[in-house]
Amino acid sequence: MKKNLLNIPILLIFFWSCQPDSPWKELYNGEDLNNWIMHVGTPIKGFEEFANDASPEKIFSIVEQDGEKLLRVTGEVNGSLATRDTFANYHLQLVFKWGSEVYSNRNSGLLYHSFGEFGEALGTWMVNIECQLMHERLGDTYLMNNTYCETSVVKENGSFRYDPNGEVEKFSIEHNGQLIKKAADYENPIGEWNTVDLYCVGSTAIHVINGHTTMVNNNTGVVENGNIRPLTSGKIQIQSEGAELFIRTLRLRPINEIPSELVD
C-alpha cells in the first residue's frame, strides 16, 4: 500500500556550499559505523535459517583484509545500512568488490534519495531510487515503489537501455516500468575493485561505473495521485541482498553542478 508522503516528517537536509573543490565527507570512516543505522529485513529465499540468528552487527561489520579496514556486508539476509543524515547536491564515491560467499546471487544496491520507513520497499528498505550493484547489472536504475524519472533510452527486446541519443521516456511503476538498463557493461571481474560515482544535483542523477557514464536520470520524483512530486534529496542506503561484498571507500562531497564531461 502506498503511503501518503505528505505525512512523512521533514528531515534535516545538508544543502552544501558551492565550492568547486569541497572536501570529502567520509561516510565510511574505517573505524566504526556510528553514523549509520542498521536494519535487518526479510530472509533470503532458500536461506531462511540465517534469519533466525541474524543481527545488524553480524550483517554489517568492519574487518581487516590485506592491511586495510573494510566494511563487510554478509548478504546472508536482506538488510539496510542507512545514513542518519539526508543529502542533496553531491558527488558520492563507492569502491566495492564481491566476496566469495553467495546465497542467492551477487546482488546489492546503492540506494539514493531514500525516505520513509524501513520495510516500505520490498519488505526491507526505505523507498528509494537504486543504482544497481548486482553482478552483470552494475549501473542499472531500479525505481522502488512509486519513484520516478525521465531517461533517454532505446528499446531492446521489450526492455529499455539508456542511450544519450535515444528518446526521452517516463519511468515508474505507472509508466514504462521500474527498470532501466545501463548503457554498457563496465564492471570489473569478480574479486576486483569497482568504483561507482553517483552525481546528484537537483532532479538529475548520473551513474558512473569505473569512469564510464552508464545512466543519466532526469526529473527524479515520486508519483502521487497521478502527479509528479520532485525528489531531489534523501538518505543513502547500502543493501545486504544475497552475497558477500566489501567496501573500501564510501564518501561524499558537495557539488552545485554536474561536471560537463559527464553529459556532453
Side-chain angles (χ1 to χ4, degrees):
M1 181 178 72
K2 294 181 181 178
K3 186 170 182 177
N4 184 351
L5 300 176
L6 295 178
N7 292 329
I8 295 174
I10 297 174
L11 300 174
L12 174 64
I13 298 175
F14 282 75
F15 287 102
W16 300 94
S17 64
C18 298
Q19 298 300 319
D21 297 313
S22 298
W24 291 101
K25 174 184 175 66
E26 301 295 335
L27 299 182
Y28 167 57
N29 61 21
E31 298 296 332
D32 57 57
L33 300 176
N34 293 338
N35 57 334
W36 295 86
I37 304 170
M38 295 178 280
H39 173 73
V40 178
T42 57
I44 301 292
K45 187 176 181 179
F47 296 88
E48 287 81 5
E49 68 275 13
F50 288 102
N52 295 330
D53 61 353
S55 67
E57 294 77 17
K58 182 180 179 183
I59 300 168
F60 304 105
S61 63
I62 297 174
V63 299
E64 189 163 328
Q65 187 179 96
D66 299 325
E68 291 185 291
K69 289 186 176 181
L70 306 177
L71 170 55
R72 179 177 182 251
V73 182
T74 67
E76 65 191 38
V77 64
N78 289 322
S80 173
L81 183 68
T83 59
R84 296 183 182 276
D85 295 329
T86 297
F87 300 98
N89 299 330
Y90 59 82
H91 169 200
L92 181 148
Q93 186 173 79
L94 166 69
V95 181
F96 83 99
K97 69 176 180 179
W98 293 109
S100 59
E101 300 292 330
V102 180
Y103 302 95
S104 55
N105 57 358
R106 286 189 169 91
N107 194 6
S108 183
L110 170 60
L111 313 182
Y112 58 97
H113 293 352
S114 303
F115 62 90
E117 302 296 328
F118 290 118
E120 289 185 20
L122 302 177
T124 296
W125 299 283
M126 302 176 194
V127 181
N128 65 85
I129 298 175
E130 177 176 7
C131 174
Q132 184 65 259
L133 302 183
M134 182 191 296
H135 175 50
E136 298 182 337
R137 300 274 294 277
L138 180 58
D140 284 5
T141 293
Y142 185 73
L143 299 161
M144 291 199 192
N145 289 31
N146 57 337
T147 52
Y148 169 94
C149 69
E150 296 175 10
T151 306
S152 178
V153 294
V154 292
K155 194 168 185 178
E156 297 179 339
N157 302 318
S159 61
F160 293 92
R161 176 177 60 82
Y162 168 67
D163 186 322
N165 299 312
E167 296 293 323
V168 175
E169 299 284 356
K170 298 177 179 180
F171 291 91
S172 78
I173 196 170
E174 298 184 12
H175 294 86
N176 284 299
Q178 296 167 281
L179 172 65
I180 311 164
K181 293 183 177 180
K182 62 188 181 297
D185 184 12
Y186 296 107
E187 182 177 2
N188 289 328
I190 290 174
E192 294 185 12
W193 294 104
N194 290 287
T195 299
V196 179
D197 289 285
L198 170 66
Y199 295 83
C200 294
V201 174
S203 59
T204 295
I206 299 181
H207 307 175
V208 179
I209 306 301
N210 294 317
H212 301 273
T213 300
T214 64
M215 188 74 58
V216 178
N217 296 325
N218 291 304
N219 296 323
T220 54
V222 177
V223 181
E224 295 178 330
N225 301 318
N227 298 314
I228 309 302
R229 176 177 64 82
L231 180 61
T232 60
S233 64
K235 295 186 176 184
I236 307 296
Q237 300 179 88
I238 299 294
Q239 290 180 305
S240 171
E241 197 184 10
E244 178 186 46
L245 65 84
F246 296 93
I247 293 174
R248 170 193 278 170
T249 301
L250 182 49
R251 58 186 185 173
L252 178 151
R253 63 182 174 186
I255 58 175
N256 59 48
E257 60 183 9
I258 301 291
S260 59
E261 63 269 18
L262 298 181
V263 292
D264 287 345

